[in-house]
Amino acid sequence: MAQIMKMVAQRFALGFLTLFVVSLIIFLGIELLPGDIAEEILGQSATPETVAAFRRELGLDVPAHIRYVEWLWNMLQGDMGRSLANKREISELIGLRFGNTLFLAVTAAAISVPLALTLGVLAALYRYSFYDRAVNVVTLSSISFPEFFVAYILIFFLAVTYPVFPSIANISDATPFWEKVYKVLLPALTLTLVVVAHMMRMTRAAIINLLASPYIEMANLKGLSRARIIVKHALPNALAPIINVVVINLAYLIVGVVVVEVVFVYPGLGQLMVDSVSKRDLPVVQASAMIFAGTYVLLNLLADILSILTNPRLLHPR
Amino acid sequence: MTSNKKLAAPLSADVSRRGFLGGTAALGITAASTSALMGRKAYAAKKGGHLRAGIGHGSTTDSLDPATWENGFSLSMDYTLFNHLGEVDHTGGVKPELAESWEASPDAKTWSFKLRKGVEFHNGKSLEAEDVIASIQYHMGEDTKSPAKSLLKQVTSIKADGKNEVVIELESGNADFPYVISDYHIAIKPSKDGKIDPTGGIGTGGYVLESYEPGVRFMANKNKNYFKSDRAHFDQVEFITIIDLAARQNALTTGEIDMMDRADLKTVHLLKRKPGINVMETVGYKHYTFPMRTDTAPFDNNELRLALKYALDREELVKKILRGHGVIGNDHPISPTNQYHADGLAQRSYDPDKAKFHFKKAGMDGTVIQLSAADAAFPGAVDAAVLYKEHAAKAGINIEVVREPNDGYWSNVWMKKGWGACYWGGRPTEDWMFTTAYAAGADWNDTFWKHDRFNELLLAARAELDSDKRRTMYYEMQEIVSNEGGVVVPMFANYVFAASDKILPSEQMAGNWELDGAKFAERWSFA
């Protein structure tokens, strides 16, 4: 256990370092982009005078490195600052959006993870059967199409031709829970189609890999049923790689859904970040990037810990 | 203009701008907007209901600060929560709104605005002169970031005469000043200690702010105290930002929203075929341009500019880029719906021979001319530039289309590169348009053009209250811009939008902005 704790501590330290580097890269990246928020917000109607006045108001006349250090210092104290564009508290702005993004991710995960595991186990069980091939073809096709295409196909069938679901996921804080679930089902289904192939194939491959090991042969010789062998004997040992791929996909569900958010007009964090980048609203971009990077770091850590818990041999790399 | 009392026009009497400016009633009212509604029932607004509008604008970085309003979403919000001194109606004329009437001195230099009595802000405060003054002053002065600053440069003093009158002195006469002061930025907000709260949502408008999540949604409830009794019919209005065109049209066809702006010109004919959907179109001031920097070679040569003007097939651009939803331009920014549009001016048309002639005369044979374009300039700008290249090739002119990134287009390309694509929302008056973008030294003179006669006429026409004299002057100015200006104006683009047939739009829609002058929330109702 002590070893695990040590690993966790090490990984946390590394995670913080990663976040710091990410923040630096994002900051420099935005500084390199043409124009700043004053020019972007005033757009075509900007004049040198109004831009200068706006910059003064926002404190952008201060040199970049000072602004960065100030930001970092405030961030370390837990203060994300205010949006340059509309002066709103970033924590409040992001809190709302991040909640929505998590809600969509959890809904999509609740559908896709059990679905992928079941499909994968069944595919391993009925290896090379018609079912195996069909599942592979379908999931690989859906992952191969761009997300917006999958989304439009779903909208066409499930919202326009057969109006089962609304075509836009127009939710707000005031929306009751079940109505929210109903409204996000279509985007969640889109995401499911996008991530399921990855998890399903990993499950299938990991189990098939194990089926060749001696202890499975033993179980076979004992005369156990195939289903029992796979679920009871093979699956627990295959968990480490499966957990890894599931967690990577969960991270994707949180940080990679911008396109889906746009198509379904879903007020998530992705849209906020895209808008803020295009307007050069640096504090908001930084804060969102930190959250995204933090999500990855945390989930990766979680994946490792879970993998090790299911297979302690991993603590002692050969 | 015999008596300046004529400048005062009560809200109830439908006096067009033409009427009050020149008394030339014989001209009549030419509708500044044409509504393409077919077979509509008799007009009868129904009270109540919850309106959901899908707007193709809006970003999480927007705010309620009038100095940052620049897109269709903020514009609609503006006209829903706030009022202005005057409002532009379907004739293109400006009518008093929060002002009850206005008067000008004979030289059009001093303007006094009588405020409407009994108007209350959403918080119960009554409208007074100080509110109007603070709201205007927010856009003036050294430290303002407001785009309205350049409009108000001409103001030398602004003071209250009692509680209900505001007197504004101008540097020089301006017969169009009621238009200027009714600009959408200059929303009237309540003042406290001589200052307005710029990001506050309290106004005098037809709806009271309920919630606003920038880039997502705006909700407002009916203002029961609204001073216009025949307006603001809905109980509640909701604007939803739906940037994605397909998502917007899907939402309308599946009934998630009741109306939408900016229909997709490529598929609008399919949308029209859908039962239960009305597609509408208004002619406005919006135009697409190709401005050249007349202060840099080779565009400082008027022969070259003429060559490029003749080398473009405008008809094809209207057909292919606007899909017919617009009219061809004549290399000046005055729309056919403007009051003093020069009808008599010969339409410039595609003429490769003339283009070749002027190109040779410019001594430019064989030079490659770069044209910068990005779709940020206007939808289809890159395609338009490529078409331009093809047309010009027939005249022996070699144009190289430089595709620029959308991001940062206005800061890095527009007014920086020699020749590029651009769009103008247009302005309701000739003076405003010319002053903004064609007067020597103007901030947005994107052609860096200086023409003595033109600038002289601009000043003279601005202070001229006699409509006939003004017309002659504006005609000449359009001719000068067309023949010697640095801009190619190929087309004016219509506003195309759609609503479900449960919605009853106004009988005659204003064309100054999209969606009935962006005032649909107060002018439309359920059928």
Side-chain angles (χ1 to χ4, degrees), chain B residues 100-317:
Chain B
E100 196 172 58
S101 63
W102 46 64
E103 270 176 53
S105 60
D107 58 357
K109 257 173 128 170
T110 309
W111 285 85
S112 57
F113 294 83
K114 276 214 170 59
L115 300 183
R116 191 172 292 280
K117 287 187 192 93
V119 177
E120 267 183 17
F121 285 102
H122 298 152
N123 61 2
K125 183 183 187 310
S126 342
L127 172 80
E128 285 173 10
E130 55 173 29
D131 303 314
V132 175
I133 293 172
S135 301
I136 297 172
Q137 268 167 349
Y138 174 65
H139 302 274
M140 299 169 67
E142 192 58 26
D143 271 334
T144 185
K145 58 186 189 234
S146 173
K149 180 178 183 173
S150 56
L151 295 174
L152 295 170
K153 254 187 202 147
Q154 53 185 306
V155 174
T156 52
S157 95
I158 162 167
K159 51 180 184 276
D161 184 358
K163 275 196 165 172
N164 289 306
E165 195 164 336
V166 175
V167 180
I168 301 178
E169 302 257 5
L170 307 180
E171 197 170 72
S172 56
N174 187 349
D176 284 332
F177 191 67
Y179 271 100
V180 171
I181 204 70
S182 306
D183 177 59
Y184 71 93
H185 294 101
I186 310 172
I188 307 300
K189 296 191 169 194
S191 72
K192 207 180 155 199
D193 307 324
K195 287 228 154 65
I196 57 163
D197 169 16
T199 54
I202 295 194
T204 53
Y207 296 87
V208 183
L209 180 64
E210 158 87 23
S211 68
Y212 174 40
E213 176 64 35
V216 181
R217 178 186 295 100
F218 162 84
M219 293 259 251
N221 301 319
K222 190 184 167 85
N223 173 6
K224 301 221 165 62
N225 266 338
Y226 196 34
F227 67 93
K228 298 181 198 169
S229 53
D230 58 337
R231 295 279 189 88
H233 304 291
F234 303 106
D235 283 339
Q236 195 171 43
V237 293
E238 176 178 2
F239 306 162
I240 309 164
T241 291
I242 310 181
I243 307 280
D244 189 69
L245 199 52
R248 202 155 70 242
Q249 293 197 171
N250 269 329
L252 181 66
T253 48
T254 57
E256 302 291 319
I257 53 173
D258 304 308
M259 53 173 289
M260 59 174 274
D261 64 352
R262 299 205 295 172
D264 183 5
L265 297 183
K266 290 187 189 116
T267 57
V268 73
H269 58 287
L270 298 173
L271 193 63
K272 259 183 201 157
R273 286 211 303 244
K274 271 253 179 225
I277 299 226
N278 276 327
V279 174
M280 294 163 268
E281 197 164 334
T282 50
V283 183
Y285 312 113
K286 183 168 75 177
H287 55 281
Y288 298 156
T289 67
F290 295 106
M292 306 169 224
R293 286 197 62 153
T294 57
D295 61 343
T296 21
F299 303 105
D300 51 357
N301 184 338
N302 195 40
E303 292 297 331
L304 172 68
R305 305 203 293 260
L306 272 176
L308 292 175
K309 285 173 187 173
Y310 279 114
L312 174 65
D313 185 349
R314 293 140 211 273
E315 310 271 356
E316 196 183 2
L317 246 53

Side-chain angles (χ1 to χ4, degrees), chain A residues 107-307:
Chain A
T107 315
I111 300 171
S112 59
V113 173
L115 183 71
L117 292 188
T118 318
L119 289 179
V121 169
L122 287 177
L125 192 57
Y126 301 107
R127 190 156 29 137
Y128 308 130
S129 69
F130 173 75
Y131 162 80
D132 185 22
R133 281 162 216 272
V135 165
N136 270 304
V137 167
V138 171
T139 52
L140 283 180
S141 312
S142 73
I143 205 177
S144 308
F145 286 118
E147 285 162 42
F148 69 87
F149 183 76
V150 175
Y152 285 143
I153 294 287
L154 284 181
I155 290 177
F156 179 72
F157 283 111
L158 294 177
V160 178
T161 317
Y162 306 100
V164 189
F165 296 111
S167 71
I168 55 174
N170 175 23
I171 65 158
S172 69
D173 304 354
T175 318
F177 180 77
W178 287 110
E179 195 186 329
K180 239 184 195 172
V181 173
Y182 167 69
K183 282 187 167 171
V184 303
L185 266 183
L186 218 44
L189 277 180
T190 310
L191 288 174
T192 299
L193 285 175
V194 172
V195 296
V196 102
H198 200 185
M199 293 193 278
M200 186 282 280
R201 285 180 67 86
M202 197 50 154
T203 310
R204 178 181 178 274
I207 290 177
I208 286 177
N209 220 1
L210 281 175
L211 287 183
S213 22
Y215 73 92
I216 300 287
E217 204 172 328
M218 179 65 200
N220 257 329
L221 290 176
K222 278 199 298 190
L224 297 180
S225 72
R226 250 181 107 71
R228 195 178 156 83
I229 292 174
I230 288 181
V231 176
K232 282 267 178 180
H233 294 253
L235 193 58
N237 283 297
L239 274 181
I242 297 176
I243 286 173
N244 251 314
V245 71
V246 166
V247 170
I248 294 288
N249 276 295
L250 288 186
Y252 173 79
L253 286 180
I254 295 172
V255 308
V257 297
V258 176
V259 175
V260 173
E261 283 178 6
V262 169
V263 171
F264 288 99
V265 199
Y266 188 75
L269 197 50
Q271 186 63 45
L272 176 72
M273 183 147 165
V274 169
D275 276 355
S276 305
V277 170
S278 69
K279 287 281 167 66
R280 319 279 188 257
D281 195 343
L282 195 60
V284 180
V285 180
Q286 290 272 44
S288 332
M290 289 292 107
I291 287 183
F292 283 155
T295 307
Y296 255 107
V297 169
L298 267 183
L299 283 177
N300 264 315
L301 182 63
L302 188 73
D304 285 355
I305 295 173
L306 285 179
S307 302

Side-chain angles (χ1 to χ4, degrees), chain A residues 34 39 44-47 49-50 53-54 56-57 85-86 88 97 152 166-167 170-172 263 265 275 279-280, chain B residues 59-62 143-145 149 213-214 216-217 240-241 244 246-247 254 256 407 411-412 414 423 443-444:
Chain A
E39 283 179 349
Q44 196 203 19
S45 57
T47 67
E49 275 174 79
T50 53
F54 203 1
R56 270 200 303 282
E57 184 187 316
N86 48 21
R88 288 178 61 187
R97 298 300 191 89
Y152 285 143
S167 71
N170 175 23
I171 65 158
S172 69
V263 171
V265 199
D275 276 355
K279 287 281 167 66
R280 319 279 188 257
Chain B
S59 151
T60 45
T61 50
D62 290 347
D143 271 334
T144 185
K145 58 186 189 234
K149 180 178 183 173
E213 176 64 35
V216 181
R217 178 186 295 100
I240 309 164
T241 291
D244 189 69
T254 57
E256 302 291 319
D407 214 27
S411 35
N412 298 324
W414 185 63
Y423 94 97
D443 283 329
W444 303 323

Side-chain angles (χ1 to χ4, degrees), chain B residues 68-98:
Chain B
T68 61
W69 290 341
E70 47 112 22
N71 63 41
F73 198 94
S74 355
L75 201 61
S76 307
M77 234 166 37
D78 173 17
Y79 286 128
T80 303
L81 298 177
F82 305 102
N83 294 115
H84 304 74
L85 281 179
E87 77 171 320
V88 175
D89 65 4
H90 65 273
T91 65
V94 64
K95 289 193 309 191
E97 191 176 37
L98 281 183

